[in-house]
Structure formats: structure tokens, C-alpha cells
């Protein structure tokens, strides 16, 4: 592993934007650390530290960094799709069902869906065995229910990849206007939701808010986030977010809180979009000094190594966390009251153990994140789009229903449709097979 990382780092083209790679790793690492810190586990269940100590909720304005990851995704998707188009100049960039679209989906989703499908299969088999043996209560049941929750992020990212071609076309035609249209749509949704009381309209912001942040990545790819614009984004976003929280119906926390009537995350709100704007502006202001630091070979090798296993670590980090708590209960180690002095004193040890166990899981499963050989830009667009849609619905459904109650027919509502864990797993696996088949050119005569 070490020699291959050294070779990869040494072969980095001078044109590569190393800061983007750092942001990708740092944003996922912040999410993992946030989950480990916020989990308030007791023998009776799992709570949220931010609910126990509301004074800590302002920390979410630093730790809720998913907007940065989606921003980086927009940048990378624009470069990737344009690269394929240059190899096939006769293809169109308007999102029509062509071979380039299928090849783009397969290339972008491979390192995302291969480790995800392995995660789903391993946990599905484990959950089935546990419940066949009569288990599934206590912390085990909580783990089976919660371990899939981070998959919502995979579902949103799938949608971003699928919508890249048409939204990139809009960006190339309208620039900032395309972003403004998405942001305006997000604002309109919140007006309809809070002022007019229109039911279910809030779920549209899963698309408008996150795709608006993704669109900022297109603007960065074309050099439109330079000069004073990052400062304006950071200041404008921060002032707007503060005003919306202070005077609007939005909660202070930028992550979901148990029992709250309104969440900034599920579904996303205009306040979360403003939060994303200030984060994007802030990280762009740090671009130049960070780029200079990343010229140091040792630091760059660390970033390259982390990028190679980041998705695997993200998928398994809750498994590691619950494994640590399970081991503590099995060994009779007391779990202090959350936020007590003893609880805080135990935090460094719990995080160190969770990190060590995550490293072991990464060592076991990292091979599934390694990129597969590139294929020619050929394939079947409609088949790829169908596969991506099934994967999107599958992983979102699984993030909501979890694996607990696998044999009891437990369901969760996904866009007003009840979805069970077996159905979600079937959609995820079936969709991935369709993406693979389409991207390899199957069905094309």
C-alpha cells in the first residue's frame, strides 16, 4: 500500500487541484468525528449529545460539512463529464440517453457503489443471522436500525451524478443564473411550506438545496469563484443563515435533532443552503495557503492514501462505533451518563478505539474501493438512468428502514411509499447491476 501511494503521489499531474482532494477527505473525516462525538449511548438506547447539551448546537455550524463534499462533487463531476465528451466530440452534453452518459455514470458510481453494495450485503447477512437466532434487542437492535443511516448521503450523491449532464448544460448557458434558479426554488419551497402550509412540498428541497450547492462546484470548475466572490459568499451566507435562524422558523442546529418539529437537514431548508454558502466561501478563502502546504510530499501522500479509502471508512465508521460500545457492555465497562465529567473523560479512549476498529474494517474491505479498469465511452443511456434511479431509491430506503425487523416486515415511508429492507436491498443491487451492464455497452447494437 505504501509504495503504491508513493507512486500515485509522485505521478500527480501539475494541473491537478490538490486542494479539492483535501476537501473531500477532510469533509468526510469531519462527519465521522461528528457522529462519534454526538452519539450518547446508554444501555437503554442511543441519544444525541446536542439534545442533552443544547449549548453545543452552534458547533454544528462547523461540523456540518456535507455541503463542502457536495460542492467538491460538482467540481469533479464537471471535469469528468467534459473529459468523456472530449473523447467523444459527437456526443451531446444535454443529458440525452447516449453512450457517454452511461459511461459517465458507471465511471463516477463505481467507487461509490462497489463498497456500498458490499456493506449492504455484509450487514444484510449479519442481520438475518442475528434475527434467525432470536437476537435483535437492546444495543444490537439499535445498531441494526442505525448503522445504515449514513446511506442517505450516498443516495443524494447518486442523484447529483445522474443530474450532472443536464445541469452542466444549464450552467454553461446561464452561469450564476442556473445556481440562482435552484436557490430561488429552494426559497420558494420554504415559503410554500411555512407560510402557505402546503403539505409535502418540503421534500422538493432534497433536490433544490443540494443541487444548488453542487452547482457551485461547476462555477468553481470554470473559475467563477475567484477574486472577492468567496468572501462575498462566506459573509452573505453567514449573515443570511444567522438571520433565518434568528427571525425565521429554522432551528439553530444544522443537523437533525430527535423530536424536533423542524429540521434543517431532513428535508433541507433555506437556512442549510445559506450555511452551505458560507462554508463554501470559507474553504475557498483558504485555497491558496492550503495549496502551498499540499506541495509538501509527505502531506500530499497522506491525502492520496486517505482518498483511496475514504468511502470505505465512511460506510463502516458507525459499525466501529457500535462495536466499541458493544465490547464495553460485554466486558462490564460502565457507560457514564452522557455529558457527565466521566463521559467526557472517556471520549478520547472511545474515539481512539473506534478509529482503530475503523482502520481494521478498512483493511478488510478497502479492495472494493479500488478503481476498476476504465472502459471506452460506450453504453446504453436509458438503462444506466434506470439503474441509477433504482440505486438511489434503494439506498435512501435502506437508510430509513435499517436492518432491524428484517423478518417482521418492518417498513419506512420513502416518498409516501412503504419500503422494507429486503426491497431496498433488491433495488440497490439490481440498480448497480444495471449501471454496470449499461456502462459496459450491454444492450447496444
Amino acid at each position: 500500500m505504501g509504495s503504491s501511494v508513493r507512486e500515485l503521489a509522485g505521478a500527480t499531474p501539475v494541473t491537478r487541484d490538490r486542494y479539492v482532494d483535501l476537501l473531500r477527505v477532510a469533509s468526510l473525516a469531519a462527519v465521522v468525528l461528528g457522529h462519534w462525538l454526538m452519539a450518547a449511548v446508554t444501555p437503554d438506547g442511543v441519544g444525541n449529545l446536542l439534545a442533552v447539551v443544547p449549548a453545543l448546537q452552534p458547533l454544528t455550524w462547523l461540523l456540518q460539512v456535507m455541503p463542502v463534499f457536495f460542492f467538491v462533487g460538482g467540481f469533479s463531476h464537471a471535469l469528468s463529464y467534459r473529459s468523456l465528451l472530449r473523447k467523444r466530440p459527437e456526443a451531446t452534453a444535454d443529458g440525452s440517453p447516449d453512450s457517454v452518459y452511461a459511461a459517465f455514470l458507471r465511471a463516477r458510481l463505481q467507487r461509490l457503489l462497489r463498497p456500498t453494495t458490499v456493506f449492504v450485503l455484509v450487514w444484510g447477512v449479519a442481520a438475518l443471522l442475528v434475527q434467525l437466532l432470536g437476537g435483535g434487542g437492546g444495543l444490537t437492535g439499535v445498531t441494526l436500525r442505525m448503522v445504515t443511516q449514513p446511506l442517505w448521503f450516498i443516495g443524494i450523491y447518486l442523484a447529483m451524478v445522474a443530474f450532472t449532464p443536464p445541469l452542466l448544460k444549464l450552467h454553461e448557458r446561464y452561469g450564476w443564473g442556473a445556481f440562482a434558479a435552484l436557490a430561488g426554488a429552494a426559497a420558494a419551497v420554504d415559503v410554500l411550506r411555512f407560510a402557505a402550509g402546503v403539505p409535502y412540498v418540503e421534500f422538493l428541497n432534497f433536490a433544490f438545496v443540494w443541487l444548488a450547492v453542487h452547482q457551485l462546484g461547476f462555477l468553481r470548475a470554470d473559475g467563477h469563484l475567484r477574486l472577492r466572490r468567496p468572501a462575498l459568499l462566506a459573509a452573505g451566507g453567514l449573515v443570511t443563515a444567522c438571520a433565518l435562524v434568528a427571525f425565521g422558523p429554522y432551528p439553530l442546529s444544522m443537523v437533525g435533532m430527535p423530536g424536533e418539529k423542524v429540521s434543517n437537514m431532513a428535508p433541507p431548508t433555506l437556512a442549510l443552503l445559506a450555511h452551505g454558502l458560507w462554508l463554501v466561501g470559507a474553504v475557498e478563502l483558504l485555497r491558496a495557503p492550503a495549496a502551498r502546504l499540499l506541495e509538501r510530499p509527505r502531506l500530499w501522500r497522506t491525502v492520496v492514501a486517505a482518498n483511496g479509502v475514504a468511502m470505505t471508512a465512511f460506510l463502516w465508521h458507525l459499525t466501529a462505533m457500535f462495536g466499541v460500545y458493544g465490547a464495553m457492555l460485554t466486558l462490564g465497562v460502565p457507560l457514564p451518563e452522557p455529558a457527565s465529567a466521566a463521559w467526557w473523560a472517556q471520549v478520547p479512549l472511545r474515539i481512539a478505539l473506534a478509529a482503530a476498529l475503523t482502520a481494521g474494517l478498512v483493511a478488510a474491505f478497502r479492495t472494493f474501493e479500488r478503481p476498476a479498469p476504465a472502459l471506452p465511452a460506450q453504453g446504453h443511456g436509458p438503462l444506466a438512468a434506470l439503474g441509477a434511479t433504482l440505486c438511489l431509491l434503494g439506498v435512501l430506503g435502506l437508510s430509513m428502514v435499517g436492518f432491524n425487523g428484517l423478518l417482521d416486515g418492518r417498513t419506512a415511508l420513502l416518498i409516501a411509499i412503504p419500503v422494507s429492507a429486503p426491497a431496498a436491498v433488491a433495488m440497490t443491487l439490481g440498480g448497480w447491476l444495471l449501471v454496470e451492464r449499461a456502462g459496459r455497452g450491454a444492450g447496444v447494437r
Side-chain angles (χ1 to χ4, degrees):
M1 183 74 175
S3 61
S4 62
V5 167
R6 187 179 296 273
E7 291 168 4
L8 285 171
T12 302
V14 294
T15 55
R16 186 174 183 89
D17 193 328
R18 300 184 179 196
Y19 187 46
V20 166
D21 294 292
L22 174 63
L23 289 179
R24 183 183 296 112
V25 169
S27 57
L28 285 180
V31 172
V32 169
L33 181 60
H35 286 169
W36 287 344
L37 281 173
M38 288 190 298
V41 179
T42 68
D44 299 322
V46 180
N48 191 313
L49 178 65
L50 300 176
V52 178
V53 189
L56 294 177
Q57 291 183 19
L59 289 177
T60 62
W61 289 50
L62 294 175
L63 292 176
Q64 173 50 283
V65 292
M66 273 305 179
V68 175
F69 190 90
F70 293 146
F71 162 66
V72 167
F75 175 87
S76 301
H77 297 158
L79 297 186
S80 176
Y81 191 68
R82 285 169 172 171
S83 175
L84 282 174
L85 285 176
R86 283 194 295 271
K87 297 174 183 176
R88 288 283 305 275
E90 72 278 9
T92 61
D94 60 2
S96 59
D98 57 22
S99 59
V100 171
Y101 180 65
F104 169 74
L105 277 183
R106 180 182 183 272
R108 298 307 300 176
L109 297 186
Q110 184 129 50
R111 288 186 64 182
L112 190 70
L113 286 178
R114 285 179 69 204
T116 300
T117 53
V118 170
F119 172 84
V120 168
L121 286 172
V122 169
W123 263 111
V125 171
L128 184 61
L129 290 174
V130 166
Q131 291 168 69
L132 284 173
L133 294 173
L139 185 61
T140 300
V142 172
T143 302
L144 293 176
R145 187 179 75 250
M146 296 187 65
V147 76
T148 62
Q149 286 187 357
L151 292 179
W152 74 266
F153 151 77
I154 306 289
I156 298 298
Y157 201 77
L158 283 168
M160 291 178 173
V161 175
F163 281 108
T164 287
L167 289 179
L168 187 58
K169 184 69 172 181
L170 289 176
H171 158 74
E172 291 168 346
R173 183 170 182 178
Y174 299 108
W176 280 97
F179 164 78
L182 288 167
V189 165
D190 274 13
V191 170
L192 293 173
R193 174 187 182 182
F194 295 114
V198 177
Y200 304 115
V201 70
E202 63 267 25
F203 294 104
L204 291 173
N205 267 350
F206 275 112
F208 293 140
V209 168
W210 290 127
L211 288 177
V213 174
H214 188 249
Q215 205 79 6
L216 289 173
F218 296 166
L219 291 162
R220 187 191 194 279
D222 287 346
H224 295 316
L225 290 183
R226 294 179 178 173
L227 302 176
R228 293 186 297 273
R229 285 175 180 167
L232 291 174
L233 269 184
L238 186 57
V239 169
T240 302
C242 289
L244 289 171
V245 169
F247 304 109
Y250 305 99
L252 173 63
S253 175
M254 289 297 163
V255 302
M257 299 294 297
E260 63 185 356
K261 293 183 178 179
V262 176
S263 167
N264 281 320
M265 270 293 294
T269 63
L270 185 62
L272 184 65
L273 176 56
H275 167 72
L277 294 184
W278 98 258
L279 276 182
V280 167
V283 297
E284 281 299 289
L285 289 173
L286 298 174
R287 186 203 302 194
R292 289 192 293 270
L293 286 175
L294 289 170
E295 292 175 0
R296 299 179 180 179
R298 180 175 297 178
L299 178 58
W300 177 235
R301 286 196 298 270
T302 301
V303 173
V304 170
N307 258 299
V309 298
M311 189 53 56
T312 303
F314 175 80
L315 286 166
W316 292 96
H317 78 279
L318 284 187
T319 303
M321 183 193 78
F322 283 118
V324 169
Y325 279 108
M328 291 172 67
L329 288 174
T330 300
L331 295 173
V333 178
L335 295 181
E337 187 70 21
S340 65
W343 188 90
W344 284 110
Q346 209 180 63
V347 163
L349 175 62
R350 289 199 306 267
I351 289 181
L353 291 174
L357 187 50
T358 299
L361 290 167
V362 165
F365 295 108
R366 69 186 180 190
T367 184
F368 300 103
E369 193 173 345
R370 290 173 182 165
L375 295 176
Q378 61 180 6
H380 192 261
L383 195 63
L386 174 61
T389 302
L390 286 174
C391 284
L392 163 66
L393 295 175
V395 296
L396 285 180
L398 198 54
S399 74
M400 298 170 68
V401 71
F403 282 115
N404 199 20
L406 191 64
L407 301 179
D408 301 331
R410 182 174 182 266
T411 62
L413 285 180
L414 176 65
I415 319 177
I417 299 173
V419 176
S420 66
V425 171
M427 285 191 289
T428 302
L429 299 181
W432 173 230
L433 290 175
L434 285 178
V435 170
E436 275 286 301
R437 179 178 176 83
R440 291 176 178 273
V444 180
R445 295 182 179 179

